[in-house]
């Protein structure tokens, strides 16, 4: 199995002395859907922000697609698409322009065929000339994913993709993520919903107070702990 993300002995201490991550070790394999499950404040966003090179690590090593995130940042970042928790979608721009521009930010040559493919896959094609700010919440989320896929990344991070969305949209998102995986993209999502991890993931990592306490195949984790025990772990 090819490894897409490798994290070894990772520590993060914020400027105020708070230790947000402690000795994280993690391998994520090509083509899998990996759910990082943990309660509020566990360190999920910190961990993926470090892997994406947005937040500096304090100690340890991180590789994405075989590139060291510190020494080979540009190459590593090219391999990664990130859909952040906070959606920045108050844009006057059209869907097409925003997604094309996003590709340019990664220094990639324009590729209208790829943009068309992404917009069609996310059911955004009919909205390509609409301004983002005029779209529904669900469509805006799709635009964020389209932007993250604009530069053809191998790895896609979704930080709490369904936090605060209604049940229908949540199901839509799950279906969309499954379709993306079919196209060969490695997907890492963070969530504090057990049901989401159970529904989506091949493997689940449980993070609590800055430590990964378990990494298991989904079925093994569920039969080992059961939902009740897992819920307790997430408190
Ligand atoms: P949530 O589910 O609420 O988004 P999370 O699991 O993503 O939580 P993080 O956002 O990574 O958790 O935060 C982990 C811990 O680090 C929290 O206690 C948070 O208060 C702290 N933290 C995050 N960013 C900073 C910062 N810039 N400076 C100091 N502490 C921080």
């Amino acid at each position: 199995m090819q490894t897409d993300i490798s994290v070894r002995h990772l520590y993060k201490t914020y400027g105020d002395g708070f230790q947000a991550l402690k000795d994280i070790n993690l391998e994520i394999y090509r083509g899998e859907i990996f759910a990082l499950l943990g309660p509020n404040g566990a360190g999920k966003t910190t961990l993926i922000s470090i892997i994406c090179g947005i937040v500096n690590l304090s100690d340890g090593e991180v590789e994405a697609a075989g590139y060291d995130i510190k020494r080979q940042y540009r190459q590593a970042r090219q391999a990664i698409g990130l859909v952040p928790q906070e959606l920045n979608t108050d844009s006057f721009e059209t869907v097409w322009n925003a997604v094309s521009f996003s590709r340019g930010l990664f220094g990639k040559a324009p590729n209208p065929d790829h943009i068309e493919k992404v917009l069609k896959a996310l059911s955004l094609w009919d909205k390509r000339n609409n301004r983002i700010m005029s779209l529904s919440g669900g469509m805006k989320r799709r635009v964020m994913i389209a932007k993250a896929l604009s530069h053809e990344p191998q790895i896609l991070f979704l930080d709490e993709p369904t936090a605060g969305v209604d049940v229908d949209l949540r199901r839509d998102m799950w279906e969309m993520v499954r379709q993306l995986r079919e196209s060969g993209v490695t997907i890492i999502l963070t969530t504090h919903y057990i049901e989401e991890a159970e529904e989506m993931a091949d493997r689940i990592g449980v993070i609590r107070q800055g430590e990964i306490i378990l990494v298991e195949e989904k079925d093994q984790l569920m039969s080992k702990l059961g939902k009740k025990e897992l819920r307790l772990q997430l408190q």
Side-chain angles (χ1 to χ4, degrees):
M1 251 181 297
Q2 196 168 343
T3 300
D4 260 346
I5 302 282
S6 168
V7 177
R8 288 187 293 275
H9 301 299
L10 174 68
Y11 290 80
K12 173 64 186 177
T13 306
Y14 280 111
D16 58 3
F18 180 76
Q19 197 172 31
L21 297 177
K22 298 161 210 162
D23 199 17
I24 302 282
N25 291 282
L26 188 61
E27 306 257 291
I28 294 171
Y29 305 116
R30 174 147 302 184
E32 74 171 330
I33 300 181
F34 185 91
L36 189 61
L37 180 65
N40 289 331
K44 303 182 293 295
T45 301
T46 301
L47 178 55
I48 69 170
S49 301
I50 289 174
I51 298 173
C52 295
I54 294 167
V55 167
N56 277 330
L57 53 83
S58 303
D59 202 3
E61 283 176 32
V62 175
E63 282 179 10
Y67 298 107
D68 182 284
I69 196 70
K70 276 164 87 175
R71 287 190 296 275
Q72 299 165 297
Y73 171 75
R74 263 181 68 86
Q75 295 96 317
R77 194 62 187 86
Q78 289 267 358
I80 291 173
L82 169 65
V83 183
Q85 202 172 342
E86 305 295 333
L87 302 184
N88 175 17
T89 51
D90 282 339
S91 171
F92 284 100
E93 287 232 75
T94 63
V95 171
W96 178 274
N97 284 349
V99 177
S100 305
F101 180 72
S102 207
R103 179 180 173 90
L105 289 179
F106 287 88
K108 289 235 166 168
N111 183 343
D113 288 346
H114 176 69
I115 305 296
E116 180 175 338
K117 197 176 102 193
V118 167
L119 295 184
K120 284 184 171 163
L122 294 167
S123 305
L124 281 168
W125 184 242
D126 293 346
K127 307 277 183 200
R128 65 190 179 281
N129 295 320
N130 293 31
R131 289 183 172 181
I132 294 172
M133 63 188 301
S134 72
L135 300 177
S136 69
M139 285 294 166
K140 283 177 177 170
R141 279 185 188 262
R142 286 167 191 265
V143 173
M144 294 299 289
I145 297 175
K147 283 169 75 174
L149 292 172
S150 64
H151 61 288
E152 301 167 69
Q154 171 56 40
I155 305 161
L156 182 67
F157 285 91
L158 298 158
D159 195 4
E160 309 232 6
T162 64
V165 310
D166 65 35
V167 179
D168 287 345
L169 183 51
R170 187 169 297 163
R171 297 215 166 273
D172 257 24
M173 288 290 297
W174 290 350
E175 186 49 38
M176 206 156 54
V177 170
R178 275 192 284 264
Q179 281 170 13
L180 283 174
R181 192 260 293 276
E182 294 303 309
S183 67
V185 178
T186 304
I187 295 169
I188 298 104
L189 63 97
T190 72
T191 185
H192 51 254
Y193 299 120
I194 295 173
E195 289 72 19
E196 182 154 277
E198 194 182 4
E199 177 82 22
M200 301 289 306
D202 300 308
R203 286 191 309 143
I204 298 175
V206 180
I207 182 166
R208 241 186 110 177
Q209 295 179 347
E211 290 181 84
I212 293 200
I213 55 172
L214 267 174
V215 178
E216 292 275 1
E217 299 277 336
K218 173 181 62 186
D219 295 341
Q220 278 169 13
L221 183 73
M222 291 300 171
S223 60
K224 215 183 221 178
L225 285 186
K227 266 194 199 172
K228 205 167 158 196
E229 175 62 23
L230 197 48
R231 246 180 252 289
L232 285 176
Q233 297 286 347
L234 294 178
Q235 281 171 4

